[in-house]
Structure formats: structure tokens, C-alpha cells
Amino acid sequence: MLSFIRSWLPGLPSFQWSILSTNPIDSVLQGLTGACGISVLCNLMRVYLFIKCLSDPEQLSAQRDRLRSPLFFTEILHLCVLSSILSVVGARVGALVVLEFSLRAVSTMLSTRKGSQNSQLFLLCQYSLGCALTSSLSFLQEGAPHRTLSLLLGAGLAGLLTWHTQALVRHVGTMYELHSKQRYCGVCITLLTCWHDIPALLTTALKITFAVAGMAAVYLINKDFLSTSEAMRFWTPLTICYTLLVIYMQEEQQQNPSEEMALQTVFVRMGGLLILMLTVGKWLDVLHILVSLLGEVWCLLRARAMLEVCRSQDCSDSEGVYRRGAERWSPNTGSPRGHSPPSPSIEASR
């Protein structure tokens, strides 16, 4: 059946299909799965931020209104654009994006203070998550006898999860405030008690996804090299490039990044990979990096409202953690409250 469908495709030369993988249908299915994964992540974060705004009386109602469910047409457009971008980007560049974000995420988690939150990282990893899913599928399905059928089933499952999470966003945005007070909706009652566990759930899912994608990325990059010396000529400048990028990210993380700084960071990261590919890569890799830049910017602009809410909430949470830590110590003696130092008269009587 699939061969019959391919027979109706235009008889383009083989080099024109080289922008995709060896099988264009497989590339489209992988891109669709990656786009659905990004959509599920954004939908769950939208639910979490909306409920958090409702639970905090200091949050403005304007922020809650910006977190409500977007229009159905915009969601479909977002899904189509991401699917097209992830379908075009090759496995080699996708693997580089996965490795770069993995190092950046590890550096961020190590430098984050205990008790503080960095919910922006969930939204900054959108495009990297799409590349992680496509790279993992390329690695796991390589050589499978029914590769296209397996990818079709995976894309169907991803689409089903996307549809359910979008329905959850619409339900929470319209009915959660009423149902949480009257307590007669099972979905809203469950969210009322478990909404604060959404970041932990997403963290566990992302750790598993990027762990598998990291192994897949190393394999996909190394399989194109014919000798160890050729691999070293690629990995040595790549390691230097990633080290400089991580150092740059560490400096940027010292302050709460604005939207302009987030976009600037994307251009710096993709610019570094572009220079690297111009040095040791192929011309097709350069084109894929430019497409990846478009995907990163598209994801950030699409999640602009959620990023602004995350910045304000992360700032308030950090100030709360700092304030609670300062209250444990008295301002004059530096000793914990409730444990004041003994007076001289008591010491003298002893």
C-alpha cells in the first residue's frame, strides 16, 4: 500500500528528496510525533501555570487570561509548522541540538539553588524535545521491518495525547475556577490536589526522553565517520564549541532572562553550531541549522505569554525562598530564631 502511495508522488530527482531522510513518509511521521510531543508539553505547562495563578491571590487576572486556551486554528497552524520543520531537519543536526541542550540542562540544574524553581526551562526546551523525539525514533526504528507502520502507530498515539491535553486546557480555562469550588468534577478535583506534581512529572519524562535521545545522538553522529581520526576531527571542535556555549549560558543564568535575552541566546547557540558546520560539516547541515533556528524562534514566540508568567513566578518564588531563609536567622546575632545566645548574667551564675 505504501509503495502504491509513493508511486503517485511526483517523480522528482533523488537529490531533491535528500533534504529529508531516505524515506520522506518516515520523516513526516517522525516530525509529526515530535510536534505532538511539544504540544503536550506546552499544554501541561499551560494547565500548571493557570492553576498556580488561581491559587495565588497576588497574581493579576490579566496573566490568567493570557494562559487560557488559544484558538483552534492557531493550534493547528502551530502543529503543522513544527511538523514541517522537524521533518526537514536531518538526524545529524537534530542530534547536535539534543546534545547541546542536554549539557545546558545539566549545567542549569547544577547551578540552581536548592529550593528555587526554574520553570522556564520546560518552555525553553520545546524545540530540543522535538529533535530528541525524532532522533530517538530514527535510532530505535532503524532497520525495523515495519518501520513506517510503527511510526504511523506512534504518531497516532502522540496525536491522541495532544488532543486530550488540548481538551484539558480548554476545560481548565473555562470551568476549573467554578468546579474547584463546587467540587463535583472529577478532573478538576484531581487537578486541585495534584496540580503541583505536574513539574515533577514533566521533569521525569524529560529526563528519560533526553537520556535515550543522548545515546541515539551519539550513534547518529558517529555512524557517518569511516575512521577514528575523522571522528576526532569532528568531536574536538564540537567539544570546544559546547564548552564555550555552556560557559556563556552560566553567565546568562545569573539573572532572570527577558524575552530579548532568550532570543539572543538562541541566535548565539545556533550561530555557534553554524560556524562549526561551516568548518567540519556539510552544506546540507548548514541548511538544517538555519531551519532549526526558525524552529527555535517559532517555539519561543508561540510560548511568549507562558514565559512571561514563568519569569514573574520564578522571581516571586526565589524571593520567597530567600525570605524564609533569612527569617531563620536573627538580624543582629546571626543565630537562628528561637535559639538566642545566653546572657552574660546566666553565664556568670554558672
Side-chain angles (χ1 to χ4, degrees):
M1 178 178 178
L2 293 176
S3 60
F4 174 76
I5 295 176
R6 294 193 196 102
S7 65
W8 284 92
L9 294 175
L12 298 177
S14 60
F15 71 87
Q16 295 190 18
W17 285 109
S18 63
I19 192 172
L20 301 175
S21 63
T22 55
N23 190 337
I25 297 179
D26 293 349
S27 297
V28 172
L29 292 176
Q30 291 175 6
L32 179 60
T33 304
C36 289
I38 296 174
S39 180
V40 170
L41 172 66
C42 292
N43 290 334
L44 292 179
M45 279 300 299
R46 191 180 297 274
V47 170
Y48 168 74
L49 294 174
F50 184 83
I51 299 178
K52 190 174 183 180
C53 288
L54 285 177
S55 62
D56 189 355
E58 297 180 357
Q59 294 291 336
L60 300 176
S61 60
Q63 290 185 346
R64 297 197 298 267
D65 294 338
R66 299 185 65 182
L67 291 174
R68 297 187 187 273
S69 176
L71 298 176
F72 179 76
F73 172 75
T74 58
E75 285 293 322
I76 296 298
L77 177 62
H78 178 62
L79 194 65
C80 293
V81 171
L82 280 180
S83 300
S84 303
I85 292 175
L86 292 173
S87 300
V88 170
V89 173
R92 185 186 181 100
V93 173
L96 293 176
V97 173
V98 169
L99 292 178
E100 187 271 333
F101 175 79
S102 300
L103 294 176
R104 183 157 48 100
V106 171
S107 174
T108 301
M109 290 187 294
L110 293 178
S111 61
T112 302
R113 297 194 305 270
K114 184 179 180 180
S116 61
Q117 296 183 358
N118 190 5
S119 55
Q120 298 181 56
L121 191 61
F122 292 113
L123 299 174
L124 295 177
C125 76
Q126 294 179 71
Y127 183 74
S128 300
L129 174 62
C131 292
L133 292 174
T134 55
S135 299
S136 300
L137 290 174
S138 298
F139 170 70
L140 296 175
Q141 296 293 333
E142 185 174 1
H146 303 287
R147 174 188 174 99
T148 304
L149 180 59
S150 299
L151 292 175
L152 182 61
L153 293 175
L157 178 60
L160 184 63
L161 291 176
T162 302
W163 182 78
H164 278 292
T165 53
Q166 287 178 354
L168 180 63
V169 170
R170 290 192 295 269
H171 181 78
V172 169
T174 55
M175 305 301 296
Y176 176 81
E177 191 171 3
L178 175 64
H179 289 176
S180 61
K181 295 177 182 179
Q182 299 182 355
R183 296 174 181 260
Y184 61 80
C185 175
V187 175
C188 294
I189 292 176
T190 303
L191 289 175
L192 184 63
T193 57
C194 302
W195 66 270
H196 52 273
D197 294 331
I198 293 179
L201 174 65
L202 292 178
T203 300
T204 303
L206 290 176
K207 285 180 179 179
I208 296 175
T209 302
F210 280 98
V212 176
M215 295 184 292
V218 174
Y219 169 79
L220 292 174
I221 293 176
N222 285 332
K223 73 174 186 177
D224 293 332
F225 301 130
L226 301 178
S227 62
T228 305
S229 60
E230 185 179 357
M232 290 299 297
R233 284 196 299 269
F234 181 85
W235 282 104
T236 300
L238 179 66
T239 304
I240 297 174
C241 178
Y242 280 176
T243 303
L244 295 177
L245 287 176
V246 168
I247 295 175
Y248 175 78
M249 296 300 167
Q250 285 287 87
E251 296 178 354
E252 292 292 331
Q253 290 164 8
Q254 301 302 322
Q255 50 186 338
N256 199 24
S258 61
E259 180 182 354
E260 291 76 12
M261 294 176 60
L263 291 175
Q264 180 182 356
T265 301
V266 169
F267 281 100
V268 170
R269 288 167 40 223
M270 291 300 166
L273 292 179
L274 180 63
I275 295 175
L276 178 65
M277 289 296 102
L278 287 173
T279 305
V280 296
K282 304 175 182 177
W283 285 109
L284 191 59
D285 295 334
V286 175
L287 176 61
H288 289 166
I289 289 179
L290 295 177
V291 176
S292 296
L293 175 61
L294 177 62
E296 287 273 11
V297 174
W298 177 267
C299 290
L300 288 180
L301 294 179
R302 184 71 179 81
R304 185 187 309 171
M306 289 190 289
L307 282 172
E308 291 180 0
V309 175
C310 284
R311 293 187 192 102
S312 61
Q313 291 185 356
D314 288 345
C315 286
S316 60
D317 292 343
S318 300
E319 292 175 359
V321 171
Y322 177 78
R323 191 181 303 111
R324 288 192 298 268
E327 289 176 353
R328 296 177 57 190
W329 300 87
S330 60
N332 296 327
T333 61
S335 59
R337 289 190 175 184
H339 300 277
S340 58
S343 61
S345 59
I346 297 177
E347 292 292 334
S349 63
R350 290 181 181 178

